[in-house]
Amino acid sequence: YMGVVPILMHSLRQCVRHGLRSFASKVSLSVYTGDLRGAGTNAAVFVKFSDSQGNHFQKQLDPKVGFARNSLEQFELTSDVDLVDVNQIELWHDDTGLGPGWFVDRLEVSLNATATPTPTLTFPCEKWLGVSDNGGVSGHTHITLAPCTTTPIPHPPPLPHPMHLHFSGCALPHPTREEKPKHKPVSRKGQGYAGEDAYSAGGRVVCVADGVHQWKEFGIDSGEVSRFLTEFAVNDHCRNPHLSTAELMSRAFDAMRAANVQGTSTFVICKLDNSLPVLHTAVLGDSGYILVRGLNRGTGEIVFRSKQQEHQFGRPYALGHHERSDLPTDAIINQHEIESSDVLVVGTDGLFDNLFDEEIVQILSQQMVNGRLKRFDAVHHLSQIAFHHSQDRELMSPFALSASDALNMIYHGGKPDDITVVVAEILPLFE
């Protein structure tokens, strides 16, 4: 035994001499759950860290409160291996409980193994783990994440031919609400409205808005707001094609207030870049859009779904005439690289509360002929199926899942509402 002590002492002296770290690493982990309906989970969650030398560390996460919607949970973890860095994270859950689907926004990680902690690394996710509780893109329950790079992403090369939005739209009113004669439903190619919903489209821009019905109690028709915002933004774009989506939204809002239009409304603007293969968007509220790729190849998949903004369940962000209104600066601004034949679906919550995203893709796929989308038929089928789902009291709809999660109860049925949908195919101008 006496011979062992010198060996141990020699090993310790070597660690100190060469500045080697202790065997264990301390990991600071922040988990951000996204701000979508039903984004939280009660399932058991696990995480695995890997470094550049092949070391691994796995742990089950025990949150203080729970992985609730729009929440932050922080953990101080001690590993049983010496991690030199973190270059990969695996995240998964056991898919148990009611509505176990989990929308993770991002993870943030730093190592505290030395006196000088490593810089915090961000691991973007923005995906559902498991079946979406909100009609979003369902995903695997086990995903692998990489840290985001600080290297600037170069602009894509200019397009050889300008791209345009070739679109068709439809608006259906709530089935039980009476319409004023001057506001009977209208569905034209470039403009439509029904109830408090409205859409307008032209050239490279599509706008959708959903007025808040509750203003009817005060004698105010929020449909006036949605119609004003969408029409003004499209006309403004035609006059000033250089304006960004944020500027278009802000100018439409200022014009609405200057015209003393009463009510509140959600608002979505999608605009193709003038020269680059990029789609620019601005979203405020629970109306939104999905971008679908590969329908022309028979492999349609959603490459992006916009986030919803709600102050609480059933109370979306909205632009309005009153002092407590949300503002254009609250909108989520985004941009996406696009490809020819991508399909953009823009709609109000009457669409997305009654159809899961997978159902939307399936309906679009059924309307493909020789690699081209029958846009009018696609819009007709989407709106009609969403309408029928809204009347089904037994259906487990996206809204039913969200209501069950938000209200802590079992809810069944679709959501009767105004339904607006615009389907736009991204193609060269003359195709």
Side-chain angles (χ1 to χ4, degrees):
Y1 294 104
M2 294 298 293
V4 175
V5 175
I7 294 175
L8 291 176
M9 293 300 295
H10 175 74
S11 298
L12 289 173
R13 284 195 295 269
Q14 288 292 102
C15 289
V16 173
R17 182 182 302 168
H18 296 289
L20 299 179
R21 290 182 290 181
S22 61
F23 187 70
S25 296
K26 292 184 178 180
V27 181
S28 296
L29 172 66
S30 298
V31 180
Y32 293 82
T33 298
D35 189 14
L36 294 180
R37 287 185 188 172
T41 187
N42 291 318
V45 173
F46 303 84
V47 64
K48 179 179 179 181
F49 303 94
S50 300
D51 68 7
S52 57
Q53 295 187 1
N55 298 312
H56 308 287
F57 162 52
Q58 181 175 318
K59 189 80 173 179
Q60 180 175 350
L61 299 181
D62 184 19
K64 296 179 181 177
V65 178
F67 297 106
R69 171 182 174 176
N70 197 29
S71 69
L72 165 62
E73 285 284 349
Q74 295 178 305
F75 305 89
E76 296 295 332
L77 309 173
T78 301
S79 74
D80 52 2
V81 297
D82 187 22
L83 298 175
V84 299
D85 53 28
V86 179
N87 68 346
Q88 179 179 287
I89 295 178
E90 294 178 52
L91 184 69
W92 69 96
H93 63 71
D94 64 358
D95 206 28
T96 59
L98 177 64
W102 184 27
F103 186 83
V104 181
D105 185 80
R106 68 188 187 278
L107 306 183
E108 293 181 354
V109 177
S110 64
L111 286 177
N112 299 305
T114 63
T116 304
T118 62
T120 299
L121 293 176
T122 298
F123 290 73
C125 183
E126 295 188 345
K127 293 179 181 178
W128 284 96
L129 274 69
V131 178
S132 159
D133 296 346
N134 182 44
V137 186
S138 296
H140 300 291
T141 57
H142 191 136
I143 61 172
T144 301
L145 305 175
C148 63
T149 176
T150 56
T151 304
I153 300 175
H155 285 296
L159 292 165
H161 305 289
M163 304 296 268
H164 279 250
L165 296 170
H166 298 252
F167 48 79
S168 186
C170 180
L172 298 178
H174 188 292
T176 61
R177 294 177 189 163
E178 296 182 359
E179 296 291 321
K180 295 180 180 180
K182 66 175 182 177
H183 293 154
K184 288 184 178 180
V186 170
S187 290
R188 305 188 185 100
K189 181 179 179 181
Q191 185 182 36
Y193 45 84
E196 286 84 27
D197 277 12
Y199 70 86
S200 190
R204 294 188 176 93
V205 68
V206 171
C207 300
V208 164
D210 179 6
V212 177
H213 179 72
Q214 284 72 14
W215 283 103
K216 288 282 189 182
E217 300 176 8
F218 302 93
I220 295 174
D221 177 15
S222 284
E224 297 286 354
V225 177
S226 62
R227 289 186 284 273
F228 185 97
L229 290 174
T230 54
E231 185 175 354
F232 185 94
V234 171
N235 290 336
D236 197 17
H237 163 71
C238 293
R239 294 188 297 265
N240 305 285
H242 62 282
L243 293 175
S244 67
T245 53
E247 290 170 325
L248 289 171
M249 183 174 288
S250 181
R251 287 161 64 98
F253 174 70
D254 291 342
M256 179 207 76
R257 284 196 162 180
N260 196 31
V261 181
Q262 303 286 295
T264 56
S265 177
T266 67
F267 198 15
V268 178
I269 302 176
C270 299
K271 173 197 168 187
L272 279 183
D273 194 275
N274 294 333
S275 58
L276 299 174
V278 173
L279 177 72
H280 303 274
T281 64
V283 176
L284 189 136
D286 59 0
S287 298
Y289 65 93
I290 59 175
L291 185 62
V292 186
R293 180 164 298 157
L295 286 168
N296 59 323
R297 300 186 294 269
T299 58
E301 63 174 348
I302 296 174
V303 295
F304 188 82
R305 187 196 204 279
S306 61
K307 294 183 180 180
Q308 295 173 315
Q309 289 178 302
E310 290 182 310
H311 295 286
Q312 60 189 53
F313 179 70
R315 185 169 162 255
Y317 283 42
L319 302 177
H321 68 280
H322 57 97
E323 292 182 356
R324 298 180 62 184
S325 160
D326 297 299
L327 300 174
T329 51
D330 296 316
I332 299 174
I333 308 300
N334 226 320
Q335 64 179 36
H336 317 282
E337 284 193 45
I338 51 93
E339 298 178 3
S340 181
S341 298
D342 282 355
V343 173
L344 177 69
V345 180
V346 192
T348 58
D349 61 341
L351 173 71
F352 295 113
D353 278 344
N354 290 299
L355 284 175
F356 289 101
D357 288 357
E358 293 88 344
E359 294 177 299
I360 294 176
V361 173
Q362 182 179 15
I363 293 168
L364 293 175
S365 299
Q366 294 168 350
Q367 304 306 316
M368 295 296 296
V369 176
N370 298 324
R372 292 292 300 273
L373 178 66
K374 297 188 292 182
R375 295 184 295 272
F376 178 82
D377 292 342
V379 163
H380 174 76
H381 281 81
L382 286 170
S383 57
Q384 289 297 321
I385 294 174
F387 176 81
H388 288 305
H389 283 190
S390 75
Q391 303 301 296
D392 188 339
R393 296 185 178 182
E394 299 300 323
L395 182 72
M396 185 53 73
S397 64
F399 177 78
L401 288 174
S402 299
S404 298
D405 180 72
L407 305 177
N408 195 26
M409 57 178 285
I410 303 299
Y411 183 93
H412 288 86
K415 180 190 176 188
D417 202 350
D418 303 325
I419 297 170
T420 292
V421 55
V422 178
V423 173
E425 211 172 358
I426 300 175
L427 295 167
L429 176 60
F430 298 109
E431 286 195 18

